[in-house]
Amino acid sequence: MSLASPVKKGYVRPLDLKHGRVDMGHGAGGRAMAQLISELFAGAFANEHLERGDDAAVLPAPVPGERLVVATDAHVVSPLFFPGGDIGCLSVHGTINDLAVMGARPLYLAASFILEEGFPLAELARIVASMAQASREAGVPVVTGDTKVVEQGKGDGVFITTTGVGALPSGREIGGANARPGDAILVSGTLGDHGMAIMAQRESLAFDSEIASDTAALHGLIAAMLDAVPTIRVLRDPTRGGLATTLNEIATQSGVGMELDEAVIPVQPQVAAACELLGLDPLYVANEGKLIAICPADDADRLLAAMRAHPLGERAARIGTVTADPNAFVQIRTTFGGRRMVDWLSGEQLPRIC
Amino acid sequence: MSLASPVKKGYVRPLDLKHGRVDMGHGAGGRAMAQLISELFAGAFANEHLERGDDAAVLPAPVPGERLVVATDAHVVSPLFFPGGDIGCLSVHGTINDLAVMGARPLYLAASFILEEGFPLAELARIVASMAQASREAGVPVVTGDTKVVEQGKGDGVFITTTGVGALPSGREIGGANARPGDAILVSGTLGDHGMAIMAQRESLAFDSEIASDTAALHGLIAAMLDAVPTIRVLRDPTRGGLATTLNEIATQSGVGMELDEAVIPVQPQVAAACELLGLDPLYVANEGKLIAICPADDADRLLAAMRAHPLGERAARIGTVTADPNAFVQIRTTFGGRRMVDWLSGEQLPRIC
């Protein structure tokens, strides 16, 4: 079922978007579903592909020589609304970023909704509007979709799976397996903002300055970075598990070690304070608008300058170096002059963060 | 996070696939998640794209001149296992069919899992194995994926969103808006099998002959049909809402009416009996391995022969005619010689059928 299913007008009362709630009929494939789709989704995501009303979108392919890039992400963040964003824009940004960190130009999004019976239609409309706005701002349309409904107590409001399709220019090879000893490691800004925005909301913590999620689409920043430094070897967004886990993944994929310098890793003071309070380490806290970049050391200054020249990279920093280490250990020089291992996240530090 | 995240071996005990259960750590982005992915998913779906371990898959694009086709479907079927299939193979077949009914060659699948805390790993492994087998049999690999975990009582075992990417040959135009007055309407086999298999399981109904889901990938049947009759105008799989709702969608998209002949619409006797018992109409019951085809009347015999020559079309039938009707009414000549309107499904006849 598409997100722009045709429905005969004049048969049914319009949806009550103020007081109405999702019911099981909205997922059953009949008129109620067609109505939900045409009144709530189709207008928000309006584009020629959706409007065809078929079960799949037919789309121009990448230009010859380009490869396809496909990424998918389920979003189950709780709460659904948080300072700086909501599940709607998050689900657009997260998937665009998964394409962009491969060096791909994001082309299309597909969106699949699992709704819980009883969920307020007004909140659903807010989420869909936020998703549509994020999609417009990023220039990446939602071209097809699906809606299912589960009984009350079998879901949690809204889950959204967003799948992205992008095009990768010929010759561009970016990936977690490409880091080499001697390379520089950079981050695009402060760490832990998204995760702590969620946790502060969940724990009802109040701080002097609010912690807002950094959720953002990074393809513009990445395009500027690749323009300046085409030799970038690795890009990745440190989401679940944070910087520490993502660097461990890359170290394992590339078969290299890493040495970080704690003193230069950017963390906002209120995020550091909240982490302290909750016993969390900001290096393990999720980000949704930040990236890690690894490039040859000689290009690092140029890359840093390109990042800082972009609004989403103003607080970029060079935080460490790739080393030769068959154990693929990630280590950090602490601000006290010591040295410790930065291991993978273990356990469930921050469930349902994205 | 990909479905083949790298994990350092030797750090942790292997997953207990016999008695273990999903816990919140399996979704948190750290080592437990990487372990779940490498031990449970990566082996089942093994392919070079997944094995790269990046957050997105890099893939060969369609050949020049072909267009992209993208479809996405959330699967929330309950129960997860049913006669003839399970949520795993269903999620592969359903998405492949959404691509195939556009006339596309399915190329790649992306799979996103939302797991409920406490779900038995043994059942998850069964589902993933079934999904992997369906993917292999169809020749369409799962190239990327994602896993999230929600707390007990916030999900229902497993939800799977499958997104498919296909290639549409130049010049092929199949879609719900293309039906024209005079065209023939065909179906590929018996109706209502999937929905009644689920309902019989849910209601613990026992019949002399078991009702099995028809879940199947239809791209092979469709390729044979297009070889025989390139003039096919509309193809669609009548899933949620069944034949009746799907024909109403097509009638509305094309701005035409339809006249069906009840006597020739194929329904298995045990499905008809179960429908009778539950007060359901097989025309509104979901199918997962059947298709509707609409083609010029002159080509209908050739198309019917091509369908019947394929194992998935043995019981194909020509069931009606497209008419000129600005109201886009779908009507049926009943077996008693009468005539009735076949309206859209209204309400929630069969929730969580796919």
Side-chain angles (χ1 to χ4, degrees):
Chain A
M1 174 62 65
S2 81
L3 283 181
S5 187
V7 66
K8 295 182 191 175
K9 299 288 179 196
Y11 266 67
V12 277
R13 269 179 300 184
L15 280 182
D16 180 356
L17 287 180
K18 217 161 165 184
H19 305 293
R21 291 178 179 273
V22 171
D23 66 45
M24 294 306 293
H26 288 131
R31 178 169 285 138
M33 185 167 92
Q35 188 188 14
L36 180 76
I37 286 168
S38 75
E39 294 183 25
L40 204 144
F41 290 102
F45 293 127
N47 63 63
E48 55 179 325
H49 308 298
L50 267 182
E51 277 151 22
R52 282 182 55 132
D54 285 318
D55 285 355
V58 176
L59 306 157
V63 301
E66 290 186 322
R67 288 154 292 168
L68 276 184
V69 179
V70 178
T72 194
D73 262 310
H75 295 87
V76 299
V77 65
S78 172
L80 296 169
F81 301 92
F82 47 80
D86 55 65
I87 192 174
C89 63
L90 183 72
S91 72
V92 168
H93 296 151
T95 299
I96 286 178
N97 292 347
D98 279 349
L99 298 175
V101 296
M102 301 303 294
R105 198 162 33 91
L107 296 175
Y108 312 114
L109 296 172
S112 133
F113 295 81
I114 298 174
L115 309 176
E116 185 188 11
E117 180 187 20
F119 188 68
L121 291 177
E123 290 188 29
L124 180 60
R126 257 179 84 193
I127 289 167
V128 169
S130 164
M131 204 171 170
Q133 187 186 337
S135 148
R136 272 194 310 275
E137 286 174 0
V140 188
V142 175
V143 295
T144 191
D146 184 51
T147 311
K148 295 287 190 318
V149 179
V150 297
E151 302 86 349
Q152 207 146 30
K154 302 291 187 185
D156 196 14
V158 183
F159 302 142
I160 305 175
T161 291
T162 318
T163 306
V165 178
L168 184 61
S170 167
R172 186 173 291 168
E173 292 298 342
I174 293 169
N178 300 345
R180 298 187 207 163
D183 285 353
I185 305 169
L186 296 86
V187 293
S188 64
T190 55
L191 294 171
D193 300 355
H194 174 74
M196 290 321 295
I198 301 287
M199 289 304 288
Q201 173 100 342
R202 231 185 253 168
E203 309 280 335
S204 302
L205 299 180
F207 296 97
D208 286 347
S209 39
E210 187 187 63
I211 301 173
S213 167
D214 58 348
T215 182
L218 295 168
H219 57 317
L221 170 62
I222 290 172
M225 290 166 65
L226 284 167
D227 269 352
V229 179
T231 54
I232 294 172
R233 299 206 223 265
V234 181
L235 290 169
R236 193 163 291 175
D237 51 336
T239 54
R240 276 183 292 176
L243 179 75
T245 303
T246 307
L247 287 179
N248 268 286
E249 281 175 29
I250 297 168
T252 303
Q253 275 182 278
S254 292
V256 297
M258 295 185 183
E259 276 192 11
L260 310 179
D261 183 355
E262 188 170 37
V264 297
I265 296 178
V267 179
Q268 295 198 71
Q270 66 268 39
V271 170
C275 279
E276 183 102 13
L277 196 69
L278 297 173
L280 298 171
D281 180 340
L283 299 193
Y284 290 90
V285 177
N287 311 278
E288 290 290 344
K290 298 292 158 36
L291 59 81
I292 297 164
I294 297 179
C295 72
D298 289 347
D299 299 326
D301 288 343
R302 209 149 27 91
L303 184 56
L304 190 61
M307 292 165 82
R308 288 186 173 161
H310 192 281
L312 293 176
E314 281 171 1
R315 295 206 51 194
R318 180 172 175 176
I319 60 164
T321 303
V322 177
T323 61
D325 178 356
N327 292 315
F329 288 151
V330 178
Q331 302 188 63
I332 196 165
R333 286 185 305 275
T334 66
T335 41
F336 308 109
R339 198 187 195 74
R340 63 176 169 88
M341 288 284 295
V342 178
D343 203 355
W344 294 65
L345 173 70
S346 44
E348 52 161 299
Q349 195 184 27
L350 297 174
R352 298 188 60 186
I353 213 72
C354 60
Chain B
M1 173 64 65
S2 80
L3 282 182
S5 187
V7 66
K8 296 181 190 176
K9 300 286 179 197
Y11 267 66
V12 275
R13 270 178 300 185
L15 280 181
D16 180 357
L17 286 179
K18 217 160 165 184
H19 305 293
R21 291 179 178 272
V22 170
D23 66 46
M24 294 305 293
H26 288 131
R31 177 169 287 137
M33 184 168 93
Q35 188 188 14
L36 179 76
I37 286 167
S38 74
E39 293 182 26
L40 203 145
F41 291 102
F45 293 129
N47 63 62
E48 53 178 327
H49 308 297
L50 266 183
E51 278 152 22
R52 282 181 55 131
D54 286 318
D55 286 355
V58 176
L59 306 157
V63 301
E66 289 185 323
R67 289 153 292 168
L68 276 184
V69 179
V70 178
T72 194
D73 262 309
H75 296 87
V76 299
V77 65
S78 172
L80 296 168
F81 302 91
F82 45 82
D86 55 65
I87 191 173
C89 64
L90 183 70
S91 71
V92 168
H93 297 151
T95 299
I96 286 177
N97 292 347
D98 278 348
L99 298 175
V101 294
M102 302 302 295
R105 198 162 34 91
L107 296 175
Y108 312 115
L109 296 173
S112 132
F113 295 82
I114 297 174
L115 309 176
E116 185 189 10
E117 179 187 20
F119 188 69
L121 291 177
E123 290 188 30
L124 181 59
R126 257 179 82 193
I127 289 167
V128 168
S130 164
M131 204 171 170
Q133 188 187 336
S135 148
R136 272 194 309 275
E137 286 174 0
V140 188
V142 175
V143 295
T144 192
D146 184 52
T147 311
K148 294 288 188 322
V149 179
V150 295
E151 302 86 348
Q152 206 146 30
K154 302 290 186 185
D156 196 15
V158 183
F159 302 143
I160 305 176
T161 291
T162 318
T163 306
V165 177
L168 185 61
S170 168
R172 187 173 290 168
E173 293 298 341
I174 293 169
N178 300 346
R180 299 187 207 164
D183 285 354
I185 305 169
L186 296 87
V187 292
S188 62
T190 55
L191 295 172
D193 298 357
H194 174 74
M196 291 320 296
I198 300 288
M199 289 305 289
Q201 172 99 341
R202 232 186 252 168
E203 309 279 334
S204 302
L205 299 181
F207 296 95
D208 287 346
S209 37
E210 186 186 65
I211 301 174
S213 167
D214 58 348
T215 183
L218 295 169
H219 59 316
L221 170 62
I222 290 173
M225 291 165 64
L226 284 166
D227 269 353
V229 179
T231 54
I232 293 172
R233 299 206 223 264
V234 181
L235 290 169
R236 192 163 292 175
D237 50 336
T239 55
R240 277 183 291 177
L243 179 76
T245 302
T246 307
L247 287 179
N248 269 285
E249 281 174 28
I250 297 168
T252 302
Q253 274 182 278
S254 293
V256 297
M258 296 185 181
E259 277 192 10
L260 309 179
D261 184 355
E262 188 169 36
V264 297
I265 297 178
V267 178
Q268 294 198 70
Q270 66 268 39
V271 170
C275 279
E276 181 103 12
L277 196 69
L278 296 172
L280 299 171
D281 180 340
L283 298 194
Y284 291 90
V285 177
N287 310 278
E288 291 290 345
K290 298 291 158 36
L291 59 81
I292 297 165
I294 298 179
C295 71
D298 288 348
D299 299 326
D301 288 344
R302 209 148 26 92
L303 185 56
L304 191 60
M307 291 165 81
R308 288 186 173 161
H310 191 281
L312 293 176
E314 281 170 2
R315 295 208 47 194
R318 180 173 176 175
I319 60 164
T321 304
V322 177
T323 61
D325 179 356
N327 293 314
F329 287 151
V330 178
Q331 302 187 63
I332 196 164
R333 286 186 304 274
T334 66
T335 41
F336 307 109
R339 198 185 195 74
R340 62 176 169 90
M341 289 283 297
V342 178
D343 203 355
W344 294 66
L345 173 68
S346 44
E348 53 161 298
Q349 194 184 27
L350 296 172
R352 298 187 60 186
I353 213 74
C354 62

